[in-house]
């Protein structure tokens, strides 16, 4: 019997995780072929069978043209989507690639491509597979940059960007549960070599996780702190909005 930390995500649990998407016109699932996003694809397909109120999903894969294997990996995602009854599109990043800040620039380009494709397809939500370990790493990365309350709130489960919803249903799930879901389904996944490249800050943070946990900075403690910062940021924002409402006069002259 697997522990709760390593138990596969059930279809009913997946349906609850995706429930906030019920009123959307359609959703774009960002799937690279790694374990997390592959689990996102499978779990959404299963959840939609459990809950018919969930909207149609379209699987999107971004090929940054940074590795020769990427095109074959996108085809593997297309095959996985087809096995689970979901349409798929590969989005290719054209133009020159940056020489510095490679991961940050790739992340920015990825979201631009995903949001543009979602609009083109008439979808109004983009769903990613960020999980609890990602949340902890984001908190640490922003702490290292000296972020304040808003930055240390890390990733929000749902936010609106240019009229589209960005939704991260797995932020409270351990990465091990997503991998266990794929193993239980008999599905394989792709390992991106950049996830082991120590040139990147996130890889070094990941490698430091056991030492940090020994010092009390466990994944669960870091994500709990991020949630506390999110509540503090919301309270500050509420006070600012109240002050503007009560004390600011907007004049036609500007």
């Amino acid at each position: 019997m697997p522990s709760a930390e390593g138990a596969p995500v059930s279809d009913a649990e997946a349906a609850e995780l995706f429930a906030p998407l019920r009123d959307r016109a359609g959703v774009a699932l960002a799937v690279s072929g790694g374990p997390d996003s592959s689990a996102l694809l499978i779990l959404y397909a299963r959840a939609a069978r459990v809950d018919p109120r969930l909207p149609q999903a379209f699987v999107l894969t971004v090929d940054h043209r940074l590795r020769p294997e990427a095109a074959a990996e996108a085809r593997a995602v297309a095959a996985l989507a087809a096995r689970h009854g979901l349409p798929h599109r590969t989005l290719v990043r054209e133009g020159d690639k940056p020489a510095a800040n490679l991961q940050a620039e790739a992340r920015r380009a990825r979201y631009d491509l995903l949001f543009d494709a979602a609009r083109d397809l008439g979808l109004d939500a983009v769903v990613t597979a960020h999980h609890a370990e990602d949340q902890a790493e984001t908190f640490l990365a922003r702490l290292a940059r000296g972020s304040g309350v808003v930055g240390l709130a890390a990733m929000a489960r749902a936010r609106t960007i240019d009229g589209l919803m960005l939704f991260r249903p797995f932020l409270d799930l351990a990465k091990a549960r997503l991998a266990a879901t794929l193993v239980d389904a008999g599905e394989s996944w792709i390992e991106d070599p950049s996830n082991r490249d120590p040139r990147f800050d996130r890889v070094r943070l990941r490698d430091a996780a056991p030492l940090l946990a020994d010092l009390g900075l466990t994944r669960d403690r870091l994500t709990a702190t991020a949630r506390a910062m999110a509540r503090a940021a919301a309270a500050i924002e509420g006070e600012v909005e109240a002050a503007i409402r009560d004390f600011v006069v907007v004049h036609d002259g500007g």
Side-chain angles (χ1 to χ4, degrees):
M1 179 71 67
S3 67
E5 179 82 3
V9 180
S10 71
D11 296 359
E13 185 179 3
E16 285 302 310
L17 290 170
F18 293 119
L21 296 169
R22 287 171 180 161
D23 63 346
R24 312 309 298 188
V27 301
L29 304 177
V31 181
S32 66
D36 315 326
S37 62
S38 295
L40 174 70
L41 186 162
I42 290 172
L43 288 171
Y44 193 89
R46 291 177 172 178
R49 290 194 288 271
V50 172
D51 184 356
R53 292 171 292 178
L54 289 174
Q56 173 65 39
F58 209 110
V59 178
L60 302 178
T61 303
V62 175
D63 178 358
H64 291 280
R65 294 285 174 89
L66 293 173
R67 295 183 296 112
E69 307 88 356
E73 291 169 359
R75 290 193 295 271
V77 175
L80 177 66
R83 288 199 295 276
H84 291 273
L86 296 177
H88 175 271
R89 177 183 291 184
T90 298
L91 313 175
V92 178
R93 182 186 180 189
E94 305 289 357
D96 296 334
K97 306 304 184 289
N101 298 320
L102 187 61
Q103 283 201 322
E105 291 299 326
R107 190 177 305 113
R108 186 176 299 109
R110 175 174 176 255
Y111 279 111
D112 286 345
L113 286 167
L114 290 169
F115 275 70
D116 287 347
R119 292 188 186 93
D120 182 57
L121 291 165
L123 313 175
D124 59 356
V126 174
V127 187
T128 68
H130 293 99
H131 46 71
E133 281 84 351
D134 290 324
Q135 183 73 303
E137 289 167 12
T138 298
F139 177 87
L140 287 171
R142 294 182 180 180
L143 182 65
R145 293 198 297 267
S147 295
V149 172
V150 174
L152 294 179
M155 291 183 284
R157 182 176 304 279
R159 58 183 295 209
T160 300
I161 303 175
D162 296 333
L164 271 69
M165 179 188 196
L166 175 61
F167 187 57
R168 303 179 177 103
F170 298 159
L171 286 182
D172 291 332
L173 289 185
K175 178 181 177 69
R177 296 200 64 198
L178 301 177
T181 300
L182 291 180
V183 172
D184 187 63
E187 295 284 4
S188 60
W189 60 83
I190 299 160
E191 292 289 354
D192 184 342
S194 69
N195 290 330
R196 299 188 300 275
D197 191 333
R199 292 178 301 167
F200 300 124
D201 290 344
R202 279 189 176 269
V203 175
R204 294 198 295 273
L205 286 171
R206 203 167 297 145
D207 290 343
L211 175 60
L212 293 173
D214 287 343
L215 296 172
L217 296 172
T218 63
R219 178 201 66 203
D220 291 345
R221 186 159 293 173
L222 292 170
T223 56
T225 303
R227 288 194 295 272
M229 288 295 169
R231 292 192 295 272
I236 292 170
E237 184 177 348
E239 289 296 320
V240 171
E241 289 177 351
I244 291 172
R245 183 178 61 249
D246 294 341
F247 303 116
V248 173
V249 175
V250 179
H251 190 277
D252 291 341

